[in-house]
Amino acid sequence: MIGIFDSGIGGLTVVKAIMEQLPEYDIAYFGDTARTPYGSKSADTVAGYAAENTEFLLSKGARVIVVACNSASSVAMERLHKAYDGPIFEVITPAVEMAVAASAKHRIGVIGTRATVNSGIYTREILKCTPAAKVYSEACPLLVPLVEEGWLKKPETRMIVKKYLLPLKVRQVDTLILGCTHYPLLKTIIQAKIGKRVKIIDSSVAVAGKVRQFMDQQPEIAEAMAKNGRARFFVSDVTAQFEKIARFLLKKDINLTHVAL
Ligand code: DGL
């Protein structure tokens, strides 16, 4: 089973991408809705939560872990690799590889939570691939609550997105990484505000592609995984909002199981 976790709802964008690219695999999702958001918390706190979430998914039978949350992927991987020596995927490097391949002028913009932007991880990883690249990052803390309120097309959201993207537009980025689980839901507005020639990189699609590639290249692991196309959803706090967004994103009703970590 593929175990996927996020700080809450946003990781369902990764679930959707994994269901599209690996429809046969069983999935267990854990959304840490009781402790969300991660994006405004310290690196230590987020790394501790990520370790507990991973342990929980392993206890449910996951053999491959996907850290859907950008904030956790930014600050927790060292700790997670120490705790589990099996395959763990994060969302940063797949998005970086996609961005570097897509960017002609090597002027890359990154948007994410404060935890992600402050970690500097996207800049470091991009410069590892392309030392001459120019990387411009903006923390966009208001976007997560706007998405969770379902304000996907409101004029206020357009205005805030425009304001956040202005410094990146001025720097003439040619590629923009959506470095947060929630931002794919604002992709249309983001594309409109940053300009239609800028390539948008969705980290959920990027990580799903990596997991697919891994399964295709590691038949001994792939064969041992359950493949009934079943998905189970666990949350640390059951909320109507989670059910609503899940229905909207996955286009079906899901059963939530409450777990206290
Ligand atoms: N899942 C988080 C991320 O991708 C966004 C929500 C939060 O701050 O917890 O960074």
Side-chain angles (χ1 to χ4, degrees), residues 6-8 10-11 36-40 68-72 113 116 144 148 179-182:
D6 178 49
S7 55
T36 200
Y38 285 6
S40 51
C69 178
N70 275 260
S71 305
T113 63
T116 298
V144 165
E148 295 199 354
C180 174
T181 47
H182 290 57

Side-chain angles (χ1 to χ4, degrees), residues 92-240:
I92 313 290
T93 40
V96 165
E97 281 172 24
M98 231 185 208
V100 165
S103 171
K105 292 192 285 172
H106 305 310
R107 300 181 74 81
I108 301 177
V110 180
I111 51 175
T113 63
R114 283 213 176 91
T116 298
V117 169
N118 290 348
S119 77
I121 190 158
Y122 274 108
T123 308
R124 281 198 302 282
E125 292 299 321
I126 292 169
L127 293 180
K128 257 191 226 165
C129 297
T130 311
K134 296 277 179 226
V135 187
Y136 304 100
S137 310
E138 280 297 320
C140 307
L142 294 175
L143 300 188
V144 165
L146 288 170
V147 169
E148 295 199 354
E149 278 308 308
W151 285 28
L152 302 182
K153 293 185 177 145
K154 298 258 187 191
E156 292 85 348
T157 305
R158 289 178 204 282
M159 201 180 75
I160 291 168
V161 168
K162 185 176 175 191
K163 203 164 171 73
Y164 278 141
L165 294 183
L166 186 64
L168 303 179
K169 210 174 152 81
V170 169
R171 305 281 190 178
Q172 297 185 325
V173 299
D174 71 348
T175 304
L176 177 67
I177 297 178
L178 306 185
C180 174
T181 47
H182 290 57
Y183 302 172
L185 291 165
L186 296 173
K187 193 168 170 185
T188 312
I189 299 185
I190 291 171
Q191 185 80 70
K193 298 300 176 198
I194 195 72
K196 60 178 185 304
R197 279 196 299 274
V198 174
K199 295 191 185 96
I200 306 270
I201 307 296
D202 179 339
S203 50
S204 63
V205 175
V207 71
K210 277 281 164 197
V211 180
R212 176 80 261 175
Q213 195 184 35
F214 173 83
M215 293 302 186
D216 293 343
Q217 289 169 355
Q218 305 283 334
E220 69 291 353
I221 296 180
E223 269 158 34
M225 307 268 291
K227 292 189 209 62
N228 306 302
R230 272 211 314 250
R232 287 190 297 161
F233 295 87
F234 301 91
V235 285
S236 48
D237 188 31
V238 178
T239 61

Side-chain angles (χ1 to χ4, degrees), residues 5-152:
F5 78 82
D6 178 49
S7 55
I9 294 171
L12 292 176
T13 54
V14 175
V15 170
K16 183 167 177 265
I18 288 192
M19 282 176 162
E20 278 164 11
Q21 295 196 43
L22 299 107
E24 68 276 34
Y25 285 87
D26 285 11
I27 288 172
Y29 179 79
F30 176 69
D32 197 2
T33 42
R35 302 189 291 200
T36 200
Y38 285 6
S40 51
K41 297 200 168 71
S42 72
D44 257 12
T45 299
V46 172
Y49 292 167
E52 286 173 11
N53 302 345
T54 300
E55 205 178 301
F56 168 73
L57 288 169
L58 294 174
S59 79
K60 289 287 156 197
R63 290 296 161 259
V64 170
I65 299 290
V66 179
V67 184
C69 178
N70 275 260
S71 305
S73 295
S74 301
V75 298
M77 293 316 294
E78 213 182 295
R79 179 141 175 195
L80 298 189
H81 283 301
K82 271 188 203 146
Y84 178 55
D85 62 3
I88 312 184
F89 292 84
E90 36 73 32
V91 284
I92 313 290
T93 40
V96 165
E97 281 172 24
M98 231 185 208
V100 165
S103 171
K105 292 192 285 172
H106 305 310
R107 300 181 74 81
I108 301 177
V110 180
I111 51 175
T113 63
R114 283 213 176 91
T116 298
V117 169
N118 290 348
S119 77
I121 190 158
Y122 274 108
T123 308
R124 281 198 302 282
E125 292 299 321
I126 292 169
L127 293 180
K128 257 191 226 165
C129 297
T130 311
K134 296 277 179 226
V135 187
Y136 304 100
S137 310
E138 280 297 320
C140 307
L142 294 175
L143 300 188
V144 165
L146 288 170
V147 169
E148 295 199 354
E149 278 308 308
W151 285 28
L152 302 182

